[in-house]
């Protein structure tokens, strides 16, 4: 007795199988998307990594001057001379 699934496919079945990506690729892409979603959720929950770190600012932002020796975002390292 010959199993019907082991017969050589012909016609539309061949074209459909060529268009479908391999299961391993689908699994990899699903895992990649899941890892991205989890890492984004963890990052959003904990906020910025460094103290004083802020998102990009909107607006003109012009006209601001930084005093000599003060780097702004460097925190306690502003007194160091290079």
């Amino acid at each position: 007795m010959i199993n019907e699934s082991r017969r050589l496919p012909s016609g539309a079945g061949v074209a459909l199988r060529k268009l479908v990506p391999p299961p391993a690729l689908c699994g990899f892409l699903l895992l990649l998307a899941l890892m991205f979603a989890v890492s984004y959720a963890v990052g959003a929950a904990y906020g910025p990594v460094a103290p004083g770190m802020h998102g990009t600012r909107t607006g003109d932002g012009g006209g601001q001057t930084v005093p000599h020796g003060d780097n702004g975002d460097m925190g306690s390292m502003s007194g160091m001379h290079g």
Side-chain angles (χ1 to χ4, degrees), residues 9-81:
S10 61
V14 172
L16 184 62
R17 286 187 185 177
K18 286 184 180 181
L19 293 176
V20 176
L25 178 62
C26 293
F28 172 74
L29 293 177
L30 181 66
L31 182 63
L32 189 66
L34 181 67
M35 289 178 62
F36 175 78
V38 168
S39 66
Y40 183 82
V42 169
Y46 283 100
V49 175
M53 184 181 225
H54 303 288
T56 57
R57 297 179 185 164
T58 58
D60 63 351
Q64 295 179 349
T65 58
V66 177
H68 180 70
D70 188 13
N71 296 11
D73 290 335
M74 294 301 287
S76 64
M77 296 179 65
S78 63
M80 296 180 68
H81 299 287

